[in-house]
Tab-separated table of all heavy atoms in Angstrom:
chain	number	residue	atom	x	y	z
B	238	ALA	N	-60.207	-6.295	-22.790
B	238	ALA	CA	-60.738	-5.669	-23.999
B	238	ALA	C	-60.249	-6.403	-25.239
B	238	ALA	O	-61.013	-6.644	-26.184
B	238	ALA	CB	-60.320	-4.199	-24.052
B	239	ALA	N	-58.966	-6.776	-25.252
B	239	ALA	CA	-58.433	-7.466	-26.424
B	239	ALA	C	-59.120	-8.805	-26.626
B	239	ALA	O	-59.427	-9.206	-27.754
B	239	ALA	CB	-56.923	-7.671	-26.276
B	240	LEU	N	-59.386	-9.519	-25.548
B	240	LEU	CA	-60.028	-10.829	-25.682
B	240	LEU	C	-61.480	-10.684	-26.112
B	240	LEU	O	-61.988	-11.509	-26.873
B	240	LEU	CB	-59.938	-11.591	-24.364
B	240	LEU	CG	-58.520	-11.983	-23.980
B	240	LEU	CD1	-58.492	-12.612	-22.608
B	240	LEU	CD2	-57.943	-12.948	-24.994
B	241	THR	N	-62.152	-9.650	-25.647
B	241	THR	CA	-63.517	-9.409	-26.126
B	241	THR	C	-63.504	-9.154	-27.617
B	241	THR	O	-64.344	-9.671	-28.362
B	241	THR	CB	-64.132	-8.212	-25.400
B	241	THR	OG1	-64.036	-8.416	-24.004
B	241	THR	CG2	-65.575	-8.013	-25.792
B	242	PHE	N	-62.536	-8.361	-28.068
B	242	PHE	CA	-62.421	-8.105	-29.494
B	242	PHE	C	-62.166	-9.407	-30.250
B	242	PHE	O	-62.758	-9.657	-31.299
B	242	PHE	CB	-61.273	-7.118	-29.743
B	242	PHE	CG	-61.034	-6.833	-31.183
B	242	PHE	CD1	-61.849	-5.958	-31.877
B	242	PHE	CD2	-59.993	-7.448	-31.861
B	242	PHE	CE1	-61.631	-5.696	-33.216
B	242	PHE	CE2	-59.772	-7.191	-33.195
B	242	PHE	CZ	-60.593	-6.314	-33.872
B	243	LEU	N	-61.301	-10.251	-29.681
B	243	LEU	CA	-60.981	-11.527	-30.313
B	243	LEU	C	-62.231	-12.370	-30.520
B	243	LEU	O	-62.406	-13.023	-31.539
B	243	LEU	CB	-59.968	-12.273	-29.436
B	243	LEU	CG	-59.429	-13.625	-29.876
B	243	LEU	CD1	-58.065	-13.829	-29.249
B	243	LEU	CD2	-60.312	-14.757	-29.413
B	244	LEU	N	-63.130	-12.347	-29.535
B	244	LEU	CA	-64.328	-13.185	-29.633
B	244	LEU	C	-65.397	-12.549	-30.500
B	244	LEU	O	-66.133	-13.242	-31.194
B	244	LEU	CB	-64.898	-13.429	-28.244
B	244	LEU	CG	-64.059	-14.299	-27.326
B	244	LEU	CD1	-64.730	-14.396	-25.980
B	244	LEU	CD2	-63.894	-15.680	-27.919
B	245	ALA	N	-65.502	-11.220	-30.431
B	245	ALA	CA	-66.628	-10.576	-31.110
B	245	ALA	C	-66.385	-10.450	-32.610
B	245	ALA	O	-67.311	-10.622	-33.404
B	245	ALA	CB	-66.872	-9.199	-30.502
B	246	ALA	N	-65.134	-10.142	-32.994
B	246	ALA	CA	-64.880	-9.823	-34.405
B	246	ALA	C	-65.331	-10.908	-35.382
B	246	ALA	O	-65.965	-10.592	-36.390
B	246	ALA	CB	-63.394	-9.509	-34.604
B	247	PRO	N	-65.065	-12.201	-35.123
B	247	PRO	CA	-65.497	-13.174	-36.123
B	247	PRO	C	-66.998	-13.354	-36.202
B	247	PRO	O	-67.490	-13.926	-37.169
B	247	PRO	CB	-64.854	-14.483	-35.641
B	247	PRO	CG	-63.956	-14.143	-34.539
B	247	PRO	CD	-64.364	-12.839	-34.008
B	248	ALA	N	-67.720	-12.900	-35.210
B	248	ALA	CA	-69.142	-13.237	-35.169
B	248	ALA	C	-70.059	-12.066	-35.467
B	248	ALA	O	-71.204	-12.292	-35.852
B	248	ALA	CB	-69.490	-13.814	-33.793
B	249	VAL	N	-69.617	-10.836	-35.270
B	249	VAL	CA	-70.552	-9.722	-35.431
B	249	VAL	C	-70.218	-8.865	-36.650
B	249	VAL	O	-70.881	-7.872	-36.885
B	249	VAL	CB	-70.602	-8.815	-34.180
B	249	VAL	CG1	-70.930	-9.632	-32.953
B	249	VAL	CG2	-69.318	-8.072	-33.994
Side-chain angles (χ1 to χ4, degrees):
Chain B
L240 293 175
T241 306
F242 178 78
L243 182 154
L244 292 178
V249 305

